[in-house]
Amino acid sequence: MTKIIFLDAAGTLFDVRGSVGEVYRQLANSFGVTVNSQELNAAFSQSFASASPMAFPGIELAKIPQLEFEWWQTVCAKAFQIAGVYHQFSDFPNFFDQLYAHFASAEPWFVYPEVFPALNKWQQQGIELAVVSNFDSRIYAVLKALNLAEYFTSVTISTQVGAAKPDSQIFTAALQKHNCIAENVLHIGDSFKADYCGAKAAGLKAIWLNRQQEKVELGKLPLSETKIEQCSSLDYLAF
């Protein structure tokens, strides 16, 4: 029986209201910048996908928040450049300061409706819960603001470990916090590559939370896998 469940954060427990492009557009508009939210969202996706993993191996913890800030500032600036509106900003650093703080609050996020019932059920069953995410240090503030923090006995993030999912190092770091072996832990997340394949490669059991019902070619399955353990909602999981 599963005793510990690791969960991804964004896209699994909670997500952005509307789209990142819409949130960016709304705040940019208050700085006099006019941009289409769909075009900006596509530009953000392109910028985010081309960025290096958000992990800083060998860096002392005290320096990580500033590196996270700079990483996101680069991604954000590139998104507005791709959208062709970066030149409209008279003070991009001030805009980004406000945007970065905004995403540390509850306002731009929503919790998926089945999350609280699932977390409560698992707690009642005596299952220990933890977060394993490629989020940054703002995760602690976001979990608290969304009333999720109390459910988790540990939070492991890529920037503090120095390795991002699907790298097995982040899963190993989380396992060490719970003094358990990989075979006794289930990881649930919305990314096929980062969460499902990453957890499987690290020796954990895994379920892909495939909310969008995406299709994956059999050739992309982890070695020795013949099918994908997946679900479209946490409602469908029972232990």
Side-chain angles (χ1 to χ4, degrees):
M1 180 179 178
T2 298
K3 292 295 185 181
I4 301 176
I5 297 177
F6 290 170
L7 290 134
D8 176 51
T12 298
L13 298 172
F14 56 85
D15 216 331
V16 176
R17 294 183 186 277
S19 71
V20 172
E22 177 59 22
V23 177
Y24 278 25
R25 184 204 66 79
Q26 289 178 0
L27 187 57
N29 188 249
S30 70
F31 279 77
V33 176
T34 302
V35 61
N36 177 278
S37 61
Q38 292 181 331
E39 292 178 2
L40 185 55
N41 196 62
F44 168 79
S45 296
Q46 183 179 338
S47 176
F48 185 83
S50 66
S52 59
M54 190 168 47
F56 314 107
I59 301 298
E60 58 186 271
L61 289 178
K63 295 181 179 179
I64 287 175
Q66 181 60 32
L67 292 176
E68 293 171 340
F69 180 90
E70 293 170 0
W71 188 96
W72 276 112
Q73 187 173 41
T74 299
V75 169
C76 181
K78 185 176 179 180
F80 281 99
Q81 289 164 359
I82 293 171
V85 297
Y86 183 82
H87 66 281
Q88 293 185 28
F89 285 100
S90 59
D91 190 353
F92 184 82
N94 184 27
F95 160 76
F96 184 73
D97 279 345
Q98 294 189 35
L99 183 72
Y100 197 73
H102 183 63
F103 275 95
S105 71
E107 190 172 346
W109 306 104
F110 73 93
V111 178
Y112 284 102
E114 84 280 9
V115 166
F116 284 114
L119 296 179
N120 284 319
K121 177 185 70 177
W122 293 334
Q123 275 199 336
Q124 291 167 5
Q125 292 175 338
I127 297 174
E128 196 170 349
L129 303 172
V131 169
V132 180
S133 172
N134 287 349
F135 213 92
D136 55 68
S137 299
R138 291 174 295 174
I139 187 66
Y140 302 101
V142 172
L143 289 173
K144 185 175 181 180
L146 296 175
N147 298 314
L148 289 166
E150 65 188 63
Y151 289 96
F152 302 103
T153 55
S154 76
V155 174
T156 304
I157 56 175
S158 60
T159 54
Q160 294 178 347
V161 172
K165 294 181 293 185
D167 192 309
S168 63
Q169 187 177 339
I170 188 171
F171 295 103
T172 299
L175 290 169
Q176 290 173 344
K177 293 179 181 180
H178 293 263
N179 193 29
C180 60
I181 59 174
E183 292 82 358
N184 293 340
V185 179
L186 170 68
H187 178 73
I188 304 170
D190 68 298
S191 170
F192 175 71
K193 180 180 179 181
D195 292 303
Y196 186 79
C197 295
K200 283 285 190 176
L204 285 73
K205 293 177 287 185
I207 293 177
W208 179 27
L209 183 57
N210 187 5
R211 294 189 183 279
Q212 307 305 319
Q213 293 295 282
E214 300 172 39
K215 301 296 183 183
V216 173
E217 297 175 14
L218 291 178
K220 293 183 178 179
L221 289 175
L223 294 177
S224 78
E225 291 281 303
T226 57
K227 69 174 184 176
I228 303 171
E229 296 293 337
Q230 61 179 304
C231 64
S232 60
S233 169
L234 296 179
D235 280 334
Y236 303 128
L237 297 179
F239 306 104

